[in-house]
Amino acid sequence: MSPGVSELLLLGPGPSNPYPEATAGLARPVLGHLDPEFLALYAEVGERLRAVFQTANRVTLPVSGTGSAGMECCLVNLLEPGDTAIVGVNGYFGERLCEVARRIGADVVRVEGEWGKPLDPARLLEAQRTTAGGRARLVAVVHAETSTGVRNDVAPLQALQETDTLFVLDTVTSLGGIPVEIDAWGVDAAYSATQKCLGAVSGLAPVTFSERALARVADRAADKPISSFYLDAGLLDAYVYEPHRYHHTASSVLVSALHAGLGRLFDEGLPSAWERHRRIGELLQGALPALGFELIAPAENRLPQLTATRLPAGTDDGKTRRRLRDEFGIEVGGGLGPFAGQAWRIGLMGHGARERSVASLLGALRVLLG
Ligand SMILES: *Cc1c(COP(=O)(O)O)cnc(C)c1O
């Protein structure tokens, strides 16, 4: 292995990453999962997560598992077999939401958008009115589509608050990188992951549930319990908060790392972190077209933290990415779905969102592409 470093942290810091900030907290003492010191740490992580999600939701906690566990946690608590779930699909992670809902036994109604373009929120609201007599259980949408670099406009879905349909939001790539306003947007359940713009190591999935979502969970528990024991929001609540009833053995190492990561985020200031992601993303996006790279997402809905770009004609995708990794220590993601082999996904997330990341990628591309 090269002493190589991942300058562009699409999937989060690796063991030899050049951003030591991302591993802060990992060396703290290991604590038992019911140690009062650990429970105090958990409570503080909950407070910090409420601040970053911009919510007053009492049940806001890190699920033990990656972002996908957060997705499963939100859907398995709110859906049961036969429920209707409306899902916005304009990329890979929208597809995954459909698959998770389908496995729970829900009837999935897809509201499709073209990959690389934002979803039309009016079509999602229209689907809510016209599906299942206006009684669909939930509408689920990905805020920042990591497969295409598109930000979906989700604030208008606040109108779901006036219906019986819950609003579920994937904030895995958005949280910490661009504004996420759980309460102002009327989001009932949201999930994220620690390794993207929160800039910690992977392994935890922050989730938050509104009182309306919890009422649904409580309703269900009365007659038919949630099919997942591990991801049951009521059991997680009783573990993380009073009465601290044993449920599973959470990793104090990961919770410490998230605690430290969120601490650094608030030291910088959330608005400053958003501004840094915006500035660094625009630096890269401003320079790529001159090298022959065409940006996929439209400017108004383009994410700064994830740039999807078509390769210049004649560029060998696999070979160029391999050389970037082996010779320059830079990792970029390949295209997904219809973009496989034709596009790249360049992540500038968390600590990776720095001038030097952009400078080293642009320098390497000038060498590799002539
Ligand atoms: C990465 C990602 C996920 C899944 O998170 P994991 O930590 O890989 O399980 C879900 N949704 C979006 C939008 C993502 O980018």
Side-chain angles (χ1 to χ4, degrees), residues 71-121:
M71 183 188 285
E72 300 243 13
C73 181
C74 287
L75 294 188
V76 80
N77 278 283
L78 302 177
L79 287 174
E80 56 193 308
D83 280 352
T84 299
I86 297 170
V87 182
V89 184
N90 61 336
Y92 176 88
F93 289 102
E95 289 287 353
R96 186 179 289 191
L97 273 168
C98 292
E99 177 61 11
V100 172
R102 189 185 69 78
R103 287 177 183 227
I104 293 169
D107 290 328
V108 178
V109 174
R110 300 161 63 98
V111 174
E112 310 238 12
E114 196 186 325
W115 281 50
K117 299 274 185 322
L119 290 166
D120 178 357

Side-chain angles (χ1 to χ4, degrees), residues 76-331:
V76 80
N77 278 283
L78 302 177
L79 287 174
E80 56 193 308
D83 280 352
T84 299
I86 297 170
V87 182
V89 184
N90 61 336
Y92 176 88
F93 289 102
E95 289 287 353
R96 186 179 289 191
L97 273 168
C98 292
E99 177 61 11
V100 172
R102 189 185 69 78
R103 287 177 183 227
I104 293 169
D107 290 328
V108 178
V109 174
R110 300 161 63 98
V111 174
E112 310 238 12
E114 196 186 325
W115 281 50
K117 299 274 185 322
L119 290 166
D120 178 357
R123 287 188 48 225
L124 286 157
L125 292 173
E126 168 71 15
Q128 189 280 329
R129 278 192 297 275
T130 56
T131 306
R135 304 196 61 81
R137 181 66 65 195
L138 56 83
V139 170
V141 180
V142 176
H143 186 207
E145 227 337 318
T146 322
S147 57
T148 60
V150 165
R151 177 184 54 76
N152 283 317
D153 294 314
V154 295
L157 298 179
Q158 204 245 348
L160 291 171
Q161 285 294 301
E162 278 132 49
T163 71
D164 289 334
T165 301
L166 300 168
F167 175 16
V168 175
L169 189 63
D170 176 315
T171 67
V172 175
T173 283
S174 52
L175 197 67
I178 55 174
V180 171
E181 301 183 48
I182 295 304
D183 288 359
W185 296 343
V187 178
D188 290 295
Y191 57 92
S192 193
T194 39
Q195 79 275 21
K196 292 190 179 160
C197 295
L198 296 181
V201 292
S202 95
L204 293 174
V207 298
T208 185
F209 287 94
S210 72
E211 287 307 315
R212 202 162 84 117
L214 290 173
R216 166 70 188 143
V217 173
D219 247 20
R220 287 191 53 168
D223 58 334
K224 192 145 36 94
I226 289 147
S227 63
S228 170
F229 179 87
Y230 194 68
L231 298 172
D232 183 319
L235 299 178
L236 285 167
D237 178 22
Y239 168 45
V240 174
Y241 300 109
E242 299 282 352
H244 298 303
R245 200 174 290 128
Y246 165 70
H247 172 256
H248 71 289
T249 310
S251 160
S252 78
V253 175
L254 291 176
V255 175
S256 288
L258 175 58
H259 183 265
L262 292 169
R264 282 191 314 276
L265 189 60
F266 288 109
D267 284 347
E268 178 180 11
L270 202 46
S272 306
W274 297 330
E275 173 56 23
R276 174 171 53 80
H277 280 91
R278 189 196 63 73
R279 188 168 48 79
I280 298 301
E282 284 183 1
L283 193 63
L284 175 70
Q285 291 162 1
L288 283 175
L291 292 168
F293 289 86
E294 184 196 328
L295 303 176
I296 289 172
E300 326 75 71
N301 288 74
R302 192 178 292 150
L303 294 169
Q305 67 270 47
L306 191 290
T307 300
T309 177
R310 283 182 206 283
L311 298 182
T315 307
D316 183 322
D317 171 34
K319 186 167 149 229
T320 313
R321 282 193 294 126
R322 205 165 326 110
R323 290 192 63 193
L324 275 174
R325 191 193 57 219
D326 293 348
E327 297 171 33
F328 295 90
I330 296 170
E331 190 183 335

